[in-house]
Amino acid sequence: MKKIIITLDGYSSCGKSTLARQLANELNYVFIDSGAMYRAITLYFLRQHVDWRHEKEVHKALGEITLDFQYNDQSGQSDMFLNDENVEALIRDMLVSEHVSEVAALKEVREFAVAQQQQMGVKKGIVMDGRDIGTTVFPKAELKIFVTADPAIRVERRFKELYAKNPSITVEEVKANLEMRDYIDSNREFSPLRRAEDAVELDNTNLTRDEQLAIALQWAKEKIAG
């Protein structure tokens, strides 16, 4: 059976990563969380007090970063490793969320991450989610899905996710963060978030996880069958 590349793009908190993981599991494909890569880079910049407004500092910092996904037997998923440290939990922190879109908008940062992502897709059989996967990373992917949902639903989902880790978080903070990230992602100069012309849209506002998986899985099987 031939293998294909599946891309999932869309705004923050649309459930892209959840769907991508499920798809990968169903198809026995490799799941690559591109957002985790940008979050890990952001975490490193914050830790090392890198001023990302200065190109030389960014260039030097990127030369000190190694990124890797390693399978976690306990969770049954791949965790993000930054310089051999498991940072999967740390990169989901609100502080990282507040700055990741800024860092990910930098041309050199995107080129650094995209080069690694494209290398991961050489053998195909992957599912990757992000903002520019179907437009920049894999413009020739066989199946491109653009995931969307009502903004209010996205805020609600993100709030529930963050509240479990930080009960002091407010809905207003989450809403402001999502709006900021949407604006930066959509308006950045290099590789902005947009729907690829040949992408199929999946609005999961009123869908359960199982329902959206069934739809995406059917699309994938049709593409694999040719």
Side-chain angles (χ1 to χ4, degrees):
M1 187 178 294
K2 73 172 184 178
K3 291 187 175 182
I4 66 172
I5 291 177
I6 302 173
T7 68
L8 289 91
D9 292 302
Y11 296 101
S12 303
S13 300
C14 280
K16 299 185 303 297
S17 294
T18 297
L19 177 56
R21 282 194 181 93
Q22 290 177 314
L23 262 180
N25 286 338
E26 290 288 334
L27 298 169
N28 287 321
Y29 276 21
V30 176
F31 164 62
I32 300 172
D33 182 357
S34 72
M37 297 172 72
Y38 290 109
R39 284 175 172 272
I41 294 169
T42 302
L43 176 64
Y44 184 84
F45 282 11
L46 290 169
R47 281 178 166 180
Q48 302 300 320
H49 307 290
V50 174
D51 186 344
W52 49 81
R53 295 170 299 179
H54 290 82
E55 192 174 326
K56 286 185 177 180
E57 286 196 39
V58 171
H59 182 77
K60 179 178 182 295
L62 289 175
E64 299 165 349
I65 291 175
T66 59
L67 301 176
D68 187 29
F69 288 98
Q70 295 184 25
Y71 188 74
N72 185 323
D73 290 325
Q74 292 183 325
S75 66
Q77 299 176 355
S78 294
D79 289 348
M80 182 79 252
F81 277 70
L82 167 64
N83 295 340
D84 298 322
E85 176 193 356
N86 188 331
V87 294
E88 185 64 32
L90 296 173
I91 60 175
R92 310 298 170 182
D93 186 79
M94 191 65 179
L95 181 61
V96 173
S97 296
E98 288 173 350
H99 295 289
V100 64
S101 288
E102 281 181 72
V103 172
L106 300 172
K107 185 174 185 290
E108 189 167 4
V109 169
R110 296 208 75 81
E111 289 175 342
F112 173 82
V114 167
Q116 296 194 36
Q117 292 159 7
Q118 289 175 332
Q119 186 59 38
M120 294 174 184
V122 168
K123 296 181 180 179
K124 298 200 172 186
I126 66 167
V127 182
M128 186 181 295
D129 76 301
R131 304 289 192 277
D132 63 344
I133 312 305
T135 53
T136 299
V137 184
F138 296 117
K140 295 183 179 180
E142 290 85 350
L143 175 59
K144 302 176 185 179
I145 302 174
F146 191 85
V147 187
T148 184
D150 182 271
I153 295 296
R154 293 166 50 216
V155 170
E156 180 183 337
R157 291 172 180 168
R158 182 65 173 153
F159 174 73
K160 288 179 179 177
E161 178 187 345
L162 290 174
Y163 183 81
K165 304 171 186 175
N166 179 14
S168 65
I169 197 80
T170 66
V171 172
E172 289 73 22
E173 285 178 294
V174 173
K175 183 173 183 290
N177 176 250
L178 287 187
E179 289 175 348
M180 176 194 70
R181 292 178 64 191
D182 286 350
Y183 179 82
I184 294 174
D185 291 340
S186 301
N187 291 277
R188 64 186 177 223
E189 181 180 357
F190 186 72
S191 194
L193 164 65
R194 60 183 174 83
R195 176 181 170 179
E197 290 183 3
D198 54 345
V200 288
E201 183 171 290
L202 178 54
D203 186 334
N204 63 22
T205 300
N206 298 308
L207 297 177
T208 65
R209 289 183 176 182
D210 287 343
E211 288 170 339
Q212 73 167 358
L213 173 60
I215 294 170
L217 192 57
Q218 182 59 38
W219 289 340
K221 288 179 178 178
E222 289 172 0
K223 289 292 184 180
I224 291 170

